[in-house]
Amino acid sequence: MRVEIVPCLKDNYAYLLVDETRRTAAIVDPSEEAPVTAAAAAHGLEITAIACTHHHWDHVGGIEDLLKRHPGIPVYGFVSDRGRIPGQTHFLEDGATLELAGATAAILHIPGHTLGAIAYHFAQDAAVFTGDTLFLSGCGRMFEGDPEMMSGSLARLARLPPDTRVYCGHEYTASNLRFARHLEPDEPAIAARIVEVEATRSAGGPTVPGRLSDELATNPFLRPQSKAIRRALGLSDAASVAEVFGAARKAKDDFKG
Ligand code: ZN
Ligand code: FE
């Protein structure tokens, strides 16, 4: 499965999942219609499905206009997002599988950013679309969940195969890494990643996709056992994963880096 990155709005990413044989594509999280239509046309692809990770406007804002151009195509989202995702036709449950762009996706319910947040995991293609739950070197804000819920969702993503490519909803990697370094100033993997990401960004490129193995090494929200993180947050080794997550998320919300 080929993936085309479609930058939208200020720092959002939509993704075209390409079925090379049929010259069709599924679009993940279309924030806007125009850039998606332009990207599909540039690659000679017909859009035949829409897949949403969650209901926020900057992930579903382009659906209505896309449906005008492609009436009747399926719109996938979590079962509890009924009424919150425009044009939704398929109401997915945790563990469901579906075919998108000739590949097979498994649905992982990963609540916390929103209650209906899901990831699309393509095991065979070693790719996962995480929306605003897992970012590269960071995670989304906890709008609807609690620390227990969201840290559980992140732990679930962390258990996917380490070579999985992570496609997330926003280009926040550079600022996320500044917070990661603030918590773990002596972590060489974080320092190395900062150099890499700075080079990518100054060349105007996207940092997505990342590798889950790099996330496990640099993303503070996937490293709740790190002694340095616990020390930086003023927590002991006895603190639970949810407590560490809650403190880290709060510290990130307040971080001016
Ligand atoms: Zn969101
Ligand atoms: Fe978003």
Side-chain angles (χ1 to χ4, degrees):
M1 180 183 68
R2 196 176 99 219
V3 178
E4 295 291 344
I5 301 167
V6 186
C8 291
L9 302 173
K10 190 167 132 273
D11 50 32
N12 274 81
Y13 289 126
Y15 299 102
L16 281 173
L17 316 185
V18 181
D19 182 334
E20 306 274 12
T21 352
R22 298 191 185 87
R23 303 305 300 165
T24 60
I27 183 75
V28 177
D29 283 358
S31 327
E32 315 176 78
E33 177 270 331
V36 171
T37 298
H43 296 286
L45 301 166
E46 167 77 10
I47 293 170
T48 52
I50 298 172
C52 301
T53 60
H54 66 296
H55 76 282
H56 282 159
W57 69 275
D58 62 319
H59 300 255
V60 307
I63 293 178
E64 281 174 334
D65 285 340
L66 280 169
L67 287 175
K68 285 181 198 149
R69 288 177 173 271
H70 312 278
I73 65 172
V75 179
Y76 297 96
F78 191 61
V79 59
S80 74
D81 270 344
R82 185 184 289 271
R84 302 211 290 184
I85 294 176
Q88 186 175 0
T89 58
H90 287 66
F91 304 87
L92 305 167
E93 309 222 26
D94 182 56
T97 58
L98 64 143
E99 207 212 276
L100 282 174
T104 304
I107 299 307
L108 308 178
H109 183 214
I110 46 167
H113 175 68
T114 66
L115 290 177
I118 53 176
Y120 294 82
H121 177 225
F122 296 81
Q124 215 132 49
D125 299 86
V128 67
F129 294 82
T130 58
D132 289 357
T133 302
L134 177 64
F135 292 135
L136 301 187
S137 302
C139 74
R141 284 177 192 264
M142 199 169 48
F143 285 119
E144 297 180 3
D146 59 28
E148 194 87 35
M149 183 187 272
M150 186 138 178
S151 61
S153 295
L154 290 165
R156 195 170 174 200
L157 292 170
R159 286 193 298 271
L160 295 176
D163 66 341
T164 306
R165 278 163 297 137
V166 178
Y167 294 87
C168 62
H170 290 267
E171 181 60 63
Y172 292 157
T173 315
S175 65
N176 285 341
L177 280 165
R178 286 194 283 279
F179 178 68
R181 181 175 55 191
H182 164 74
L183 290 185
E184 293 188 285
D186 302 322
E187 186 54 53
I190 293 173
R193 190 113 187 259
I194 287 175
V195 172
E196 209 179 291
V197 161
E198 270 171 9
T200 304
R201 293 304 291 151
S202 52
T207 59
V208 287
R211 285 271 167 202
L212 189 56
S213 52
D214 289 331
E215 291 310 306
L216 296 171
T218 66
N219 190 327
F221 297 100
L222 298 187
R223 299 167 56 73
Q225 304 304 344
S226 157
K227 289 196 191 311
I229 291 177
R230 286 167 178 252
R231 229 181 299 125
L233 296 169
L235 294 170
S236 77
D237 291 353
S240 72
V241 167
E243 280 175 89
V244 174
F245 174 81
R249 188 55 261 177
K250 169 95 180 58
K252 174 70 166 71
D253 291 345
D254 299 339
F255 184 65
K256 309 262 182 289

